[in-house]
Amino acid sequence: MMRPGALLLAAALLMTAVSGGVVAREMSRVGVHQGYAPVQPIAFSHKLHAGDSQIPCLYCHFGARTSRHAGIPPLNVCMNCHSILTKQTVEIEKLKEAVQRGQPIAWTKVHNLPDFVYFSHSQPVETMARVRQDAPLTMGWCLDCHKKRGPDLLRARQAALKRGDPRAPLPGLDCGKCHY
């Protein structure tokens, strides 16, 4: 028979191993939620704003030029237009209420990548009425794209440079192009 101390130690080791396995599994799934499109507190449409109305990305995401992330614009940026527009919707009313209360909107993050990885999510966003993660964003997916679409990616980089984004990765397989 085992002693109570040995049983306790065995149980603790088993729990540690199981917990470690769960954490490792979850960490390995960072960024692989293809199709993820959470419901947001306000139904914001990039298709309407960036696509149909052709509002430049940097008007709202002014920090994107100098930051690795586009960031969420302050509500006052939204109000620059919405305070003078006559069209009112339930979603615009939610925005105005948040501004009056002085409370930020609790947006749900869609794309979740490690901090040491650069990937521009801007390519298809102007077509999205609701932001979703179109691809699994795994390293294999990225490498496949760089291999298949090298010339297209070079053109995309040149367009990004014209928009003022000097960090857009070059096509190729060099780790430093996407990893910091």
Side-chain angles (χ1 to χ4, degrees):
M1 287 196 75
M2 293 183 86
R3 292 185 183 160
L7 275 174
L8 188 59
L9 179 61
L13 288 173
L14 179 63
M15 290 299 293
T16 301
V18 169
S19 299
V22 169
V23 168
R25 182 180 182 282
E26 289 305 309
M27 292 296 289
S28 72
R29 296 193 43 78
V30 169
V32 297
H33 302 291
Q34 187 173 4
Y36 180 57
V39 174
Q40 298 289 356
I42 294 178
F44 178 84
S45 172
H46 278 89
K47 181 183 182 310
L48 172 66
H49 291 84
D52 300 344
S53 299
Q54 297 184 351
I55 298 171
C57 299
L58 288 173
Y59 178 77
C60 300
H61 301 283
F62 51 85
R65 190 180 299 253
T66 57
S67 172
R68 290 187 326 148
H69 307 285
I72 296 174
L75 297 181
N76 289 337
V77 172
C78 306
M79 292 306 295
N80 285 342
C81 298
H82 285 289
S83 64
I84 59 173
L85 295 176
T86 56
K87 181 177 181 179
Q88 296 300 313
T89 66
V90 172
E91 303 307 309
I92 294 171
E93 288 302 316
K94 290 179 190 177
L95 168 70
K96 289 181 176 182
E97 287 173 19
V99 169
Q100 287 174 352
R101 287 190 316 263
Q103 294 179 326
I105 304 296
W107 300 104
T108 301
K109 188 173 182 178
V110 177
H111 298 92
N112 187 23
L113 288 173
D115 288 339
F116 56 85
V117 176
Y118 173 82
F119 178 75
S120 172
H121 305 104
S122 65
Q123 289 92 352
V125 78
E126 70 276 356
T127 65
M128 295 182 183
R130 182 167 162 188
V131 173
R132 68 191 173 281
Q133 183 174 321
D134 279 340
L137 303 182
T138 61
M139 188 165 162
W141 176 81
C142 293
L143 289 172
D144 286 346
C145 185
H146 279 250
K147 288 175 188 173
K148 293 175 188 169
R149 297 189 47 228
D152 292 338
L153 291 170
L154 182 57
R155 284 191 288 279
R157 170 159 173 84
Q158 291 166 342
L161 289 172
K162 285 181 185 175
R163 289 192 311 267
D165 182 3
R167 297 165 294 100
L170 288 166
L173 304 176
D174 178 15
C175 302
K177 299 203 186 306
C178 302
H179 292 273
Y180 293 93

